[in-house]
Amino acid sequence: MNFKLLSASFGAILLSIHTSFGQVTENPKVEESSVPYVKIRKVELTDANTIIHLQFIEKQSQQPQFRSQPRMPAFPDSRIPQPQKQDQSQIWLDPETRLYKPGEIDKKFKFIRAENITTTTKTAVANGDTVDFVAYFERLTPGIEEFDFYEGRSSAGNQSWNFYGIHIKNPLKKDATKSSKPVAKTTAPAKKPAAKPPVKTPQKPAPASKKEIEMAVLKGTIYNGKTKEPIAAQLSYMEGGDTLQIRSSSGKYRVGVDADEKYKFRVMARGYYGSSFSLAPGDSSGKAFNQDVYLTPLIVGETILLPNIYFETSQYTLLPESFEELNRLVDVMRDSPTVKIRVEGHTDNVGDFDKNLDLSRQRAESVKNYLIEKGIESGRIEAKGYGGTRPITKGSEDRKKNRRVEFVITEM
């Protein structure tokens, strides 16, 4: 056997192994994802690319997920038409997908190509099918060991696939210039001075696409308001006419938002009274927002304020601005069918005592009647008015805080 030939072949094999070697993270930890039916199975880092191996599973036992049909809202509304055809999904991967370093939106890595999934047309997937596909991106900078996979904001009935807090192996490279072995100095041969290169007029970089400019990130943690411990919860919001959901088992969440839109986020958790908050990213120059949420647990004897209940002045007629808050209470009672409550009305202490007492009772009754109209059994609701006998503040400037509606958990 020719030894030189064997050595050359062996060296070629080693070179091939060396050039293709990269960091591989199997089943990486993902803090949050926008959908439960797409998983990241592996992240591979080569010299040139970040390669993400994903899997789509369309289970027969679950509600079909639509990427091209109107999706079911998180909290059904009879005014929204429901999809009629639910026998398959249509999937594709948006070529505008980017990878980002959390909290540093300017550090983005572009999509290059995909395997086994289309990027310009939609492919039908029947119930029970599994699709394994691969997405290639620019190489993550060494040292970035947590990143976000952001396909886009869901719109026009399309549910985007976004993953937040993907943890991988990607250590910093050792500085090749630092070597423990001294390098022998050599005298460079004399050379003629190099001609100066022609001066080039600097070109303005191409403007970023509208999608990238408008993107911002909202993140936070949902806590038990009593124990201050993180809890599993669901966050929902409207964007582009669609109701989107994020389910968090850890309490942590991260959402990509459009800087040109205004958002109303709704937070729900089983066994807790929900909450809501608003966000207008365009009102701030920042690209990262933090919002922690504290939910009140449903415990017998717990008094919970209904913060957004409004009536006509000196009347007990509910205003439409109250319906969102009341619908949240309806959802709680539907999710916890054994819960019984007492609705309590309160006024300030200005004016006739007896009239205030009667007005507070009538307002509590109005709330009770609204719940009954929404299908909650009347036997689960008691209504009582306390007038101005139970103020929460005595200052004249904060007197409006005493005009409130609360409910108390009386039975679980």
Side-chain angles (χ1 to χ4, degrees):
M1 180 179 291
N2 190 317
F3 180 74
K4 292 183 178 180
L5 179 61
L6 177 62
S7 299
S9 300
F10 185 66
I13 294 173
L14 287 177
L15 180 61
S16 174
I17 293 174
H18 175 74
T19 55
S20 63
F21 175 77
Q23 296 287 346
V24 176
T25 305
E26 300 280 353
N27 297 314
K29 175 186 175 183
V30 178
E31 293 182 4
E32 300 300 337
S33 60
S34 61
V35 295
Y37 51 87
V38 181
K39 304 292 184 183
I40 295 179
R41 295 304 184 189
K42 182 171 66 175
V43 177
E44 181 180 358
L45 299 175
T46 66
D47 290 340
N49 300 119
T50 301
I51 307 171
I52 303 180
H53 300 254
L54 303 101
Q55 185 178 72
F56 172 93
I57 302 176
E58 182 68 355
K59 294 183 179 178
Q60 292 179 337
S61 59
Q62 70 180 20
Q63 180 76 12
Q65 303 291 336
F66 290 81
R67 298 199 68 186
S68 61
Q69 300 285 346
R71 286 169 288 106
M72 293 288 287
F75 303 95
D77 189 329
S78 59
R79 297 169 297 175
I80 301 176
Q82 308 302 324
Q84 299 298 316
K85 186 178 180 180
Q86 297 185 350
D87 58 348
Q88 65 180 19
S89 296
Q90 291 183 317
I91 65 171
W92 73 98
L93 186 65
D94 190 338
E96 292 297 319
T97 301
R98 297 288 185 269
L99 306 183
Y100 291 91
K101 182 178 179 181
E104 299 183 30
I105 308 305
D106 292 332
K107 292 187 177 181
K108 50 185 174 290
F109 303 86
K110 296 181 179 181
F111 172 82
I112 298 174
R113 63 185 176 90
E115 294 177 356
N116 204 38
I117 191 169
T118 57
T119 58
T120 56
T121 59
K122 303 168 186 177
T123 303
V125 181
N127 283 347
D129 282 357
T130 297
V131 179
D132 293 298
F133 59 99
V134 184
Y136 289 76
F137 296 85
E138 294 175 330
R139 176 57 155 87
L140 288 169
T141 304
I144 296 180
E145 296 193 312
E146 180 184 353
F147 69 95
D148 297 341
F149 176 111
Y150 187 75
E151 188 184 24
R153 296 175 294 275
S154 301
S155 61
N158 301 327
Q159 175 65 65
S160 295
W161 299 337
N162 300 323
F163 302 87
Y164 304 103
I166 306 167
H167 295 261
I168 60 167
K169 303 172 186 176
N170 186 24
L172 285 169
K173 290 183 178 180
K174 293 182 180 179
D175 191 345
T177 62
K178 295 181 181 179
S179 176
S180 58
K181 295 182 180 180
V183 179
K185 295 183 179 180
T186 58
T187 303
K191 293 183 179 180
K192 294 182 179 180
K196 293 183 178 181
V199 179
K200 295 183 178 180
T201 304
Q203 296 181 351
K204 294 182 179 180
S209 68
K210 182 180 179 182
K211 177 177 179 179
E212 294 174 10
I213 293 175
E214 293 179 349
M215 180 184 169
V217 172
L218 168 69
K219 62 181 179 178
T221 305
I222 303 165
Y223 295 97
N224 179 321
K226 292 291 185 181
T227 66
K228 305 301 185 290
E229 295 178 351
I231 58 173
Q234 172 182 298
L235 184 144
S236 65
Y237 60 101
M238 293 290 295
E239 186 175 72
D242 295 322
T243 301
L244 309 179
Q245 296 181 14
I246 293 178
R247 297 181 184 275
S248 171
S249 58
S250 65
K252 294 182 179 180
Y253 71 90
R254 188 182 282 114
V255 186
V257 293
D258 189 331
D260 289 338
E261 290 200 24
K262 294 184 178 180
Y263 293 87
K264 182 68 172 290
F265 290 91
R266 185 177 182 185
V267 184
M268 301 290 288
R270 187 171 294 277
Y272 294 81
Y273 186 69
S275 181
S276 62
F277 63 92
S278 300
L279 176 69
D283 294 343
S284 172
S285 59
K287 293 182 179 180
F289 303 87
N290 292 279
Q291 179 70 52
D292 293 335
V293 181
Y294 295 84
L295 300 185
T296 304
L298 302 178
I299 305 172
V300 173
E302 187 73 22
T303 299
I304 301 173
L305 174 68
L306 292 170
N308 300 304
I309 304 301
Y310 306 99
F311 301 90
E312 291 185 4
T313 304
S314 301
Q315 301 294 322
Y316 55 88
T317 302
L318 285 163
L319 295 177
E321 294 87 340
S322 308
F323 297 163
E324 182 178 353
E325 187 71 44
L326 291 174
N327 289 337
R328 182 178 298 128
L329 179 55
V330 170
D331 290 334
V332 167
M333 299 196 72
R334 285 174 177 168
D335 290 340
S336 304
T338 60
V339 166
K340 293 184 178 181
I341 65 172
R342 179 176 64 250
V343 179
E344 298 181 344
H346 302 270
T347 66
D348 56 32
N349 58 3
V350 177
D352 183 82
F353 178 88
D354 291 331
K355 288 183 178 179
N356 283 339
L357 192 64
D358 190 48
L359 178 61
S360 66
R361 178 189 59 78
Q362 290 174 320
R363 288 182 168 180
E365 289 284 352
S366 292
V367 171
K368 175 180 177 177
N369 292 334
Y370 183 92
L371 301 179
I372 294 173
E373 290 174 359
K374 293 295 181 178
I376 306 302
E377 297 176 4
S378 61
R380 298 174 58 194
I381 314 164
E382 178 187 359
K384 195 166 185 178
Y386 291 94
T389 63
R390 297 186 178 184
I392 57 177
T393 179
K394 295 182 179 180
S396 58
E397 294 182 358
D398 294 331
R399 185 181 296 136
K400 63 181 181 180
K401 293 181 180 180
N402 294 327
R403 302 191 293 269
R404 67 196 188 278
V405 177
E406 301 170 328
F407 71 93
V408 179
I409 307 293
T410 59
E411 187 176 327
M412 294 285 290

